[in-house]
């Protein structure tokens, strides 16, 4: 997920772990970010190593464990990391946005989920309401738009941002249909103030909406 590694957002504690297989999929940029957060081994992770890290962004490293794989055909030994994290009072962790309907939606969203970049930034939050240019002679302004979604809320978030930024869009005509009763995709829909409909899936395996 696009977690708050590089944006101005409240301090979070990141519990990170690795279990088959991160050496190929964890890119150099991500490894460098983890090193900047205090990891001692992120740059040297190898095939099927076991690794875990608990760190406070912009602050303390609570602990890190690493177990190297002895051979290509086997995994490293399991790692166990126990640590204690000092909790922050909720009033100190909350952003003090102005009390508007838009910011109430933002506050509700940010109280439940994270990993959406600067959407929850206290100082410079990403927009959730857009004012694209009108489309001249717009003959599709009142045409209903159906968005079909599954349990991939980050993809849905990016798609809706793009859709709502399109020239001539009418948010009142957009309905998002979610294939399953998943909470986070509906949270994304409500963040943008759109209509959402959840329904019981009627298909299985590859026929499901992803």
């Amino acid at each position: 997920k696009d977690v708050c590694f590089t944006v101005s957002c409240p301090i979070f504690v990141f519990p990170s772990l690795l279990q088959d297989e991160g050496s190929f999929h964890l890119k150099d940029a991500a490894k460098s970010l983890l090193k900047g957060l205090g990891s001692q081994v992120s740059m040297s992770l190898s095939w099927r190593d076991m690794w875990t890290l608990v760190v406070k962004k912009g602050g303390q490293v609570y602990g890190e464990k690493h177990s190297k794989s002895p051979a290509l055909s086997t995994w490293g030994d399991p790692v166990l990391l126990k640590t204690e994290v000092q909790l922050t009072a909720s009033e100190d962790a909350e952003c003090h946005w102005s009390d508007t309907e838009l910011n109430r939606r933002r506050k509700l969203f940010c109280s439940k989920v994270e990993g959406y970049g600067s959407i929850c930034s206290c100082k410079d939050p990403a927009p959730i309401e857009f004012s694209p240019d009108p489309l001249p002679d717009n003959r599709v302004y009142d045409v209903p738009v159906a968005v079909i979604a599954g349990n991939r809320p980050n993809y849905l978030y990016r798609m809706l941002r793009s859709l709502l930024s399109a020239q001539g869009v009418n948010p009142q005509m957009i309905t998002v249909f979610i294939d399953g009763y998943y909470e986070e995709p509906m949270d994304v829909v409500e963040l943008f103030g759109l209509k959402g409909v959840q329904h019981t899936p009627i298909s299985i395996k590859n026929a499901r909406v992803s």
Side-chain angles (χ1 to χ4, degrees):
K1 287 188 175 182
D2 179 19
V3 206
C4 296
F5 283 138
T6 59
V7 297
S8 299
C9 61
I11 299 300
F12 290 106
V13 173
F14 295 105
S16 302
L17 57 89
L18 177 66
Q19 178 184 5
D20 186 43
E21 188 338 88
S23 62
F24 287 165
H25 298 288
L26 196 62
K27 304 303 181 185
D28 288 342
K31 291 181 179 180
S32 296
L33 282 172
L34 290 168
K35 181 181 178 181
L37 288 171
S39 172
Q40 299 295 313
V41 299
S42 63
M43 302 301 295
S44 59
L45 291 172
S46 301
W47 172 260
R48 288 185 172 175
D49 286 0
M50 295 293 186
W51 167 76
T52 184
L53 167 72
V54 179
V55 60
K56 181 178 180 181
K57 177 178 178 280
Q60 179 181 355
V61 176
Y62 290 95
E64 183 175 25
K65 286 288 185 71
H66 175 234
S67 172
K68 192 165 186 62
S69 168
L72 291 176
S73 59
T74 59
W75 289 268
D77 292 333
V79 294
L80 175 63
L81 175 61
K82 294 182 178 181
T83 186
E84 294 184 358
V85 177
Q86 183 69 38
L87 298 180
T88 302
S90 59
E91 55 269 20
D92 296 332
E94 291 181 353
C95 296
H96 301 291
W97 298 306
S98 57
D99 187 19
T100 64
E101 190 274 333
L102 183 146
N103 280 334
R104 285 193 289 271
R105 296 201 317 256
R106 186 192 302 274
K107 185 176 182 178
L108 178 62
F109 180 81
C110 294
S111 70
K112 296 195 288 185
V113 299
E114 59 185 58
Y116 289 84
S118 60
I119 202 73
C120 297
S121 169
C122 290
K123 296 181 179 179
D124 186 24
I128 58 175
E129 200 168 67
F130 306 88
S131 301
D133 294 333
L135 189 67
D137 192 24
N138 191 349
R139 300 183 180 182
V140 295
Y141 186 76
D142 293 323
V143 173
V145 177
V147 176
I148 311 300
N151 192 23
R152 295 193 178 184
N154 286 86
Y155 291 172
L156 178 62
Y157 168 78
R158 293 199 295 266
M159 182 270 172
L160 291 178
R161 276 181 58 94
S162 177
L163 177 61
L164 292 169
S165 301
Q167 187 179 11
V169 68
N170 180 0
Q172 300 302 316
M173 299 304 295
I174 298 173
T175 304
V176 181
F177 295 91
I178 301 173
D179 186 35
Y181 293 94
Y182 303 114
E183 183 176 359
E184 192 168 336
M186 183 58 78
D187 290 339
V188 171
V189 173
E190 293 173 348
L191 171 68
F192 290 111
L194 301 175
K195 296 188 293 289
V197 177
Q198 295 173 301
H199 63 86
T200 303
I202 59 175
S203 302
I204 60 173
K205 295 184 178 180
N206 292 342
R208 287 289 305 277
V209 175
S210 62

